[in-house]
Amino acid sequence: MNTNNQHKPTFFIKTFGCQMNERDSEIMAQLLREAGYAESFTVNEASLIILNTCSIRAKAEQKVMSLLGYLRKNLKKNPNQKICVAGCVAQQEGIEIIKKMPHVTLVIGTQNIYQLVPALHYATQGGSRVLTSLQDKYDIPRFLPNFSLDSPAPPFRKFITIMQGCNNFCSYCVVPHTRGREVSRLAADIVDEARVLVENGVKEITLLGQNVNSYGKTNSVVEGGVRGEYGFPRLLTDVAALAEKGLRRLRFTTSNPKDLTDELIACFGEIDILCPQLHLPVQAGSDSVLKKMNRKYSIAGYLDLVDKLHKVCPSIALTTDIIVGFPGESDADFEQTMTLLDTVRYHGSFSFKYSPRPGTKAAKFPDAVPEEVKSARLTRFQQRQDEISLERNQEYIGSRQKIMLEPEIGNSLLSRGRTESNHIVHLQEPIDGSPGDILTAEIIHAGQHSLQGKIETQGAVL
Ligand code: SAM
Ligand code: SF4
């Protein structure tokens, strides 16, 4: 750490949950650096700890509560330490967190993170310790990355949040309750953020939202414009124009199938740097379960989308999310999920046991599926997915793939890369290059979760 940092207050942020929380943590870190804090790499010594929390499933929430219990004991060694709870659990529980855990200094909600520094100051001066207001009409502040501070250099790959909240109210999901109504950021702010990143060496950008397909539908994203006139395909095109300045790859997540338009599907054929990969969560293979989930599409409609995607982009790698054991899911419903898995043959999936969440409609649905049935279904689904992922990965053997180099987790050696389809490729030996360089590899072996490759043109960075 820079020696100038020795007398600065320090912060440590622990992030739970999704990529949107990761991005919110980066924003909070930047705000704290701008206010004179330095980052601490140990929990015990930090002057301020922020837990940026997730409440999507009960397990995620329980982890936060047990960590708060641990931090309470730690206060005996470091009594001046401040603890802040941010994110979805903070939004959902508010004052209840302080009631259960009085050692918490501040509870800050999902729309309030930009006020973190004054809110902390206020809370430590005897002011309110809970700031969790959630507005329906809310302008996401313009916020640009600032690399002039002693923050780590930007990595070669970054996420940009393009919208907040969700209006879909899937019956199982807590997000509309914890992140509020859907609000899109101004397109100019997003493109400016992307430009700053690319000018600082970022080679790959992923645009993030709960349902990126509805970007610009609930509010205008152009100064003085009207809502709906500028949508997600246009944003993709405008960000992709940064290829001129060095952006090599563009991805996005997540897409609700109900809003996946032909125009957006066409982007996979038209935008060169848009990677041939799409996460398209289906959640269940049975129309009656989808109806109870309030997903607003049918399996026939979903399979139609899959066909269209393959026509526009035959090499596209599809992944999905599945919930097993939704209330009332019968054996026959679950078999339809298994059939769907064999029909689409996803490259990968995230699968979860249904977890009832407070305030959601499904939490009151009858016919809960017993825990052991949920577990058995999850195991069966995941085993079949692993087999299919292996078969899918084997299809790449003998092919030549452009891979973007990235460091191994836990060390800086460049002995792996990622294909455009988002598959990890382990290389036989470390490569002399920089993260973000693109090389061509021949795929020589496939496992369930990754590929192995041999660099064809060592030294020829594309
Ligand atoms: N907006 C995305 C969409 O519509 O597909 C999903 C975002 S959510 C943060 C990520 C995933 O968590 C969902 O796709 C769903 O599979 C899972 N999930 C959400 N609520 C859940 C619950 N109550 N129980 C189990 N899994 C849940
Ligand atoms: Fe949750 Fe549905 Fe919104 Fe996704 S689209 S965040 S699953 S409510």
Side-chain angles (χ1 to χ4, degrees), residues 199-352:
E199 285 169 354
N200 281 276
V202 170
K203 305 282 184 226
E204 177 179 314
I205 285 176
T206 303
L207 301 179
L208 287 179
Q210 291 300 348
N211 180 17
V212 292
N213 310 347
S214 60
Y215 173 76
K217 281 193 186 160
T218 50
N219 58 292
S220 166
V221 290
V222 182
E223 209 89 61
V226 290
R227 83 188 153 90
E229 72 179 331
Y230 181 115
F232 188 59
R234 220 168 126 198
L235 180 68
L236 270 182
T237 311
D238 286 349
V239 176
L242 291 167
E244 266 185 16
K245 292 185 176 279
L247 181 64
R248 307 297 301 273
R249 288 182 173 182
L250 183 58
R251 305 182 193 272
F252 61 85
T253 196
T254 300
S255 281
N256 187 319
K258 82 180 172 64
D259 296 315
L260 183 63
T261 59
D262 290 351
E263 195 189 355
L264 182 52
I265 292 175
C267 291
F268 285 102
E270 289 163 3
I271 299 179
D272 278 354
I273 64 165
L274 182 62
C275 291
Q277 164 258 314
L278 180 66
H279 188 61
L280 194 60
V282 67
Q283 312 297 357
S286 142
D287 282 345
S288 77
V289 173
L290 287 176
K291 194 150 194 273
K292 287 187 217 153
M293 286 179 163
N294 194 29
R295 289 292 284 183
K296 300 198 170 91
Y297 51 82
S298 64
I299 290 302
Y302 184 90
L303 290 174
D304 225 33
L305 295 174
V306 170
D307 271 354
K308 284 183 186 171
L309 284 159
H310 280 134
K311 280 200 184 100
V312 170
C313 181
S315 64
I316 200 161
L318 296 177
T319 51
T320 201
D321 288 348
I322 293 285
I323 297 176
V324 300
F326 187 76
E329 184 190 65
S330 65
D331 286 344
D333 289 323
F334 176 65
E335 288 312 321
Q336 288 181 276
T337 298
M338 295 301 292
T339 304
L340 180 75
L341 177 56
D342 276 307
T343 308
V344 180
R345 300 183 66 243
Y346 293 102
H347 284 245
S349 61
F350 297 101
S351 45
F352 314 98

Side-chain angles (χ1 to χ4, degrees), residues 418-447:
R418 205 173 275 265
T419 62
E420 290 173 330
S421 55
N422 215 14
H423 289 78
I424 289 177
V425 179
H426 294 286
L427 301 171
Q428 288 166 315
E429 54 194 51
I431 298 296
D432 190 12
S434 306
D437 286 350
I438 296 181
L439 298 174
T440 302
E442 185 195 336
I443 305 304
I444 53 174
H445 181 77

Side-chain angles (χ1 to χ4, degrees), residues 48 82-85 98 102-108 115-131:
L48 168 69
K82 307 277 179 285
I83 298 168
C84 170
V85 183
I98 305 259
H103 56 293
V104 168
T105 314
L106 175 69
V107 176
I108 192 157
Q115 292 134 272
L116 172 67
V117 173
L120 263 173
H121 180 74
Y122 193 55
T124 50
Q125 302 297 310
S128 170
R129 290 158 65 195
V130 180
L131 180 61

